[in-house]
Amino acid sequence: MVGLHTESKTAKTPWIAIWALVGVNALWGLSFPIMRSLNLQMEHFYGLDNDSVPSSLSVAFSSGMIGMRFLAAFLLLFVVCPNLVRGASKAEWRAGVLVGLLFYVGLVLQVMGLATIPASRSGFLTSLTAVFTPVFSAVLFRKSISINVFVGILIALLGVSI
């Protein structure tokens, strides 16, 4: 009977990863209503209704919010993993800056879109990348989609619909 209630370290590892993914997805999902709320607060602060918000003001506000999020994430990464940041090569910094800039532009456009559509719709449309990525990959590389990937697409579509 010894050892019936004990778990090995490797048995716990998948659960840690699963809960980490659940946490990250929860935070990601919360970002939509939070950013929508911040957009509405900005409009209220400046006394503007949704139809009269100048695009330049919306872009500036969105850019600032996203920039602060990126800076906070970088500082947290530096505090938690300083060797990772200090040990990066020039090529890694260039690649990181390029990917970061593209991601930044995408997020700014997304936050601007949140000014005109509900957070739930924005989250749904963004989540569809989990559905479209394997489909586009299959088309781009001219390969058929395996049954496992097809089932994964259906599960992802069901999940983002819920």
Side-chain angles (χ1 to χ4, degrees):
M1 295 281 181
V2 175
L4 281 179
H5 293 64
T6 60
E7 293 183 38
S8 68
K9 187 174 182 177
T10 56
K12 289 183 180 180
T13 304
W15 288 107
I16 292 170
I18 289 169
W19 282 111
L21 284 172
V22 168
V24 166
N25 279 294
L27 291 173
W28 174 80
L30 284 172
S31 70
F32 290 93
I34 289 170
M35 296 306 281
R36 174 74 174 151
S37 175
L38 289 172
N39 271 344
L40 292 173
Q41 287 180 2
M42 185 261 314
E43 293 167 9
H44 179 72
F45 179 78
Y46 288 106
L48 304 168
D49 62 6
N50 204 16
D51 296 330
S52 65
V53 177
S55 61
S56 59
L57 180 61
S58 183
V59 170
F61 186 72
S62 299
S63 298
M65 285 192 305
I66 300 299
M68 286 187 284
R69 287 174 62 185
F70 275 34
L71 180 61
F74 177 76
L75 293 175
L76 182 63
L77 179 67
F78 187 75
V79 168
V80 174
C81 303
N83 293 335
L84 182 69
V85 176
R86 288 189 193 126
S89 69
K90 286 184 181 181
E92 290 168 331
W93 276 101
R94 272 193 299 270
V97 168
L98 176 63
V99 170
L101 285 173
L102 292 172
F103 189 58
Y104 177 80
V105 169
L107 283 176
V108 169
L109 293 172
Q110 185 177 50
V111 171
M112 288 172 56
L114 279 169
T116 59
I117 65 172
S120 59
R121 188 177 306 154
S122 178
F124 174 76
L125 293 171
T126 302
S127 297
L128 287 178
T129 58
V131 174
F132 291 135
T133 300
V135 173
F136 289 151
S137 176
V139 170
L140 182 67
F141 295 112
R142 297 181 181 180
K143 292 187 175 186
S144 61
I145 296 175
S146 72
I147 189 68
N148 289 341
V149 172
F150 184 74
V151 169
I153 289 170
L154 291 177
I155 292 170
L157 188 58
L158 178 66
V160 298
S161 296
I162 291 172

